Amino acid sequence: MVGARITVNGKETPLAPASPHTTVLEFLRERALTGSKEGCAEGECGACSILVARPGVHKPTDWVAVNACLVPVAALDGQEIITSEGLATAGDPGTPPTLHPVQEEMAVRGGSQCGYCTPGFICSMAAEYYRPDRCAHEDPDGNTDAEHGPNGFDLHALSGNLCRCTGYRPIRDAAFAVGAPTDKDPLARRREQDPPAPVATEYAADEGVFLRMGTLTETLRVLRERPDAVVVAGSTDWGVEVNIRSRRAGCVVAIDRLSELRELRVESGHIEIGAALTLTEIERRLDGRVPLLAELFPQFASRLIRNGATLGGNLGTGSPIGDAPPVLLALEASVVLADADGEREIPLAEYFTGYRQSVRRPGELIRAVRVPLPLSSVTAFHKIAKRRFDDISSVAAAFALDVEDGTVRKARIGLGGVAATPIRALATEAALEGEPWTAETVEAAAGMLRGEGTPMDDHRASSLYRSAMLGQSLLKLYAQTTEAVSS
């Protein structure tokens, strides 16, 4: 499409001659903006991170860090980005630019050695630096935890950035040393203005076409005409397919900026979450209202991924090891499916039909996820993985129980990583309901839970380990709840 362009570091730049599958990272490096690097090409190292102007939660605009290696540059048509090169302030002719406060702290505290990962760290740090609600993080005794600095810096902002040579202590020191943006900071002032509005895009080349329609109705019409089209939101899954497996599609349809898919409504009987809201947006808008989701978010990939990933995308891929489905199953969520003929609501427990398969028909997409109210009082999400954060789970178990007068009135348990699809632990639920919430009941139910699903042996874990972890997760839940009551 002639005229498609992106604003990079304040300068409008045409997308042509990039192809519809060219990533933002490739686009930038071809234009000599080489601060962003390719380390993994699948969103795990953060060397490619950049800042994108997005609708804000506390201000009109948020500076959001994303993986440039995953996002097609066509998806940013009409949008505004900042790279590591654009953070410094230009000086007078013949004088060097003034370093950004994040860059300055990284330099003086030894946060860089070879420097390969440094620009990515700096962009992720800058996104946290400009977070409007960042404030001092202290308990009543004046202490801070290991993951939050006295300046309110949340180290989870760097969970998607890896460094092989510096070590993280000086990077952490730099993060905890940055102050607050000043009124003279142009990027801080930019937050007070609206971000660029989404623009309709039809960017075509020999490889195919990238489409962004203006409305949901137009999008559904295209999907009916092109049932083979690949639907993308944050591209956190499709970007890996393009980079690692050299996948190409004749038609890619972007839905991430559709207003009809970006609503979050709390109603009398349910909470409706738009399928194109990013996990970060959901987390900040709900602000702990759904404790089980609040427990999920920090364990879902990294902040860089959560800034692009959506619930609709996580459910749409149908992965049996996705982190969101077990939680949503425990919450008894349903999905609202839409096509050109209308909508239908399907309980998530009936949505998955096989490995990466679902009841979703060609031309149909997920419009929203509905979580019924009221919520259960006892909830927990246990993710068993080799790393504490930013890892794929071997087993994931989500619990939502109603315990009244010492008796389990209702139990819902969602599991991931133990079958071809995410599943409900129906036998264990039945073993708990109507029984006293005691060690004896839990021990018997834990034995039942070990036999749920069909765990397999693979490089992440053995079937015996997975089964053992299922039982252990219920015992852990009981220990946590009894400890909370006794304290």
Side-chain angles (χ1 to χ4, degrees):
M1 172 180 173
V2 176
R5 37 205 326 107
I6 180 175
T7 300
V8 182
N9 298 333
K11 180 181 178 181
E12 278 201 350
T13 306
L15 298 191
S19 79
H21 296 290
T22 297
T23 66
V24 177
L25 175 63
E26 294 167 329
F27 177 84
L28 293 173
R29 294 185 63 80
E30 288 169 358
R31 284 151 185 80
L33 292 169
T34 54
S36 297
K37 305 293 196 298
E38 181 179 292
C40 65
E42 53 185 351
E44 292 194 359
C45 74
C48 64
S49 74
I50 59 170
L51 299 177
V52 182
R54 287 293 192 221
V57 176
H58 300 286
K59 286 185 179 292
T61 290
D62 279 346
W63 287 113
V64 176
V66 300
N67 293 110
C69 73
L70 298 178
V71 181
V73 71
L76 297 184
D77 178 22
Q79 301 301 297
E80 178 181 353
I81 70 172
I82 299 293
T83 70
S84 59
E85 293 92 343
L87 287 171
T89 303
D92 296 329
T95 62
T98 301
L99 291 179
H100 187 275
V102 167
Q103 295 171 321
E104 177 72 21
E105 292 296 346
M106 282 285 278
V108 301
R109 296 178 188 278
S112 175
Q113 282 188 22
C114 81
Y116 193 88
C117 68
T118 305
F121 266 100
I122 283 172
C123 284
S124 293
M125 290 174 69
E128 178 66 6
Y129 176 76
Y130 288 116
R131 178 165 61 87
D133 59 337
R134 179 171 64 91
C135 58
H137 190 92
E138 296 181 350
D139 65 20
D141 297 324
N143 301 316
T144 61
D145 63 54
E147 292 165 2
H148 295 83
N151 58 355
F153 194 102
D154 183 356
L155 281 183
H156 286 285
L158 306 182
S159 61
N161 295 83
L162 301 180
C163 179
R164 296 297 187 189
C165 58
T166 302
Y168 295 100
R169 197 261 316 151
I171 297 173
R172 176 180 179 273
D173 291 346
F176 286 177
V178 295
T182 67
D183 294 337
K184 296 181 180 180
D185 186 328
L187 294 181
R189 294 199 306 268
R190 175 65 184 83
R191 299 176 301 176
E192 307 300 331
Q193 306 167 18
D194 290 333
V199 299
T201 300
E202 182 179 353
Y203 192 81
D206 292 340
E207 279 191 311
V209 61
F210 184 97
L211 299 175
R212 183 192 302 284
M213 313 310 294
T215 67
L216 177 60
T217 299
E218 294 172 320
T219 301
L220 294 174
R221 189 179 303 125
V222 168
L223 294 180
R224 165 169 283 183
E225 296 169 354
R226 297 291 302 265
D228 61 325
V230 172
V231 177
V232 300
S235 291
T236 55
D237 186 76
W238 176 244
V240 177
E241 295 292 315
V242 170
N243 291 339
I244 305 300
R245 297 183 176 89
S246 299
R247 288 275 305 279
R248 298 293 183 266
C251 180
V252 174
V253 178
I255 63 168
D256 56 313
R257 310 316 298 166
L258 291 175
S259 60
E260 299 95 331
L261 274 62
R262 291 184 48 76
E263 298 178 350
L264 193 153
R265 298 197 301 269
V266 179
E267 302 183 354
S268 59
H270 65 262
I271 299 173
E272 181 166 301
I273 303 170
L277 285 169
T278 69
L279 300 186
T280 293
E281 289 173 322
I282 298 169
E283 178 184 16
R284 291 177 178 170
R285 292 191 191 187
L286 286 177
D287 194 24
R289 187 184 182 100
V290 182
L292 191 50
L293 284 175
E295 194 171 349
L296 160 71
F297 291 134
Q299 300 182 70
F300 190 112
S302 67
R303 177 62 71 191
L304 281 170
I305 293 296
R306 295 196 296 275
N307 286 343
T310 64
L311 286 183
N314 201 233
L315 296 176
T317 60
S319 171
I321 55 173
D323 286 338
V327 168
L328 295 174
L329 284 169
L331 290 170
E332 297 186 279
S334 60
V335 292
V336 180
L337 301 174
D339 64 13
D341 294 324
E343 292 185 354
R344 58 186 180 129
E345 184 175 353
I346 304 292
L348 187 61
E350 301 172 11
Y351 173 77
F352 300 104
T353 60
Y355 179 73
R356 291 189 178 271
Q357 296 178 334
S358 71
V359 299
R360 187 163 55 90
R361 298 186 290 249
E364 203 170 35
L365 57 77
I366 301 173
R367 183 184 68 76
V369 173
R370 286 179 180 158
V371 175
L373 296 173
L375 301 171
S376 294
S377 57
V378 177
T379 61
F381 175 62
H382 297 161
K383 176 176 178 176
I384 293 90
K386 295 184 183 300
R387 295 194 302 265
R388 186 177 174 211
F389 297 116
D390 196 13
D391 200 5
I392 296 172
S393 62
S394 299
V395 177
F399 302 91
L401 282 66
D402 287 329
V403 181
E404 300 174 4
D405 299 324
T407 299
V408 181
R409 303 301 181 188
K410 187 175 78 170
R412 296 293 181 265
I413 304 172
L415 304 179
V418 296
T421 69
I423 62 171
R424 281 259 305 275
L426 299 175
T428 306
E429 293 174 1
L432 286 169
E433 290 183 342
E435 299 296 325
W437 185 237
T438 62
E440 293 75 18
T441 297
V442 173
E443 284 280 359
M448 185 80 68
L449 188 54
R450 292 186 186 97
E452 298 274 15
T454 54
M456 61 179 290
D457 293 308
D458 63 18
H459 65 283
R460 294 191 184 94
S462 68
S463 60
L464 290 175
Y465 177 81
R466 286 185 164 99
S467 295
M469 289 301 99
L470 287 178
Q472 196 65 25
S473 65
L474 185 57
L475 298 176
K476 178 179 179 180
L477 172 67
Y478 178 72
Q480 290 173 328
T481 55
T482 53
E483 179 181 312
V485 170
S486 63
S487 62

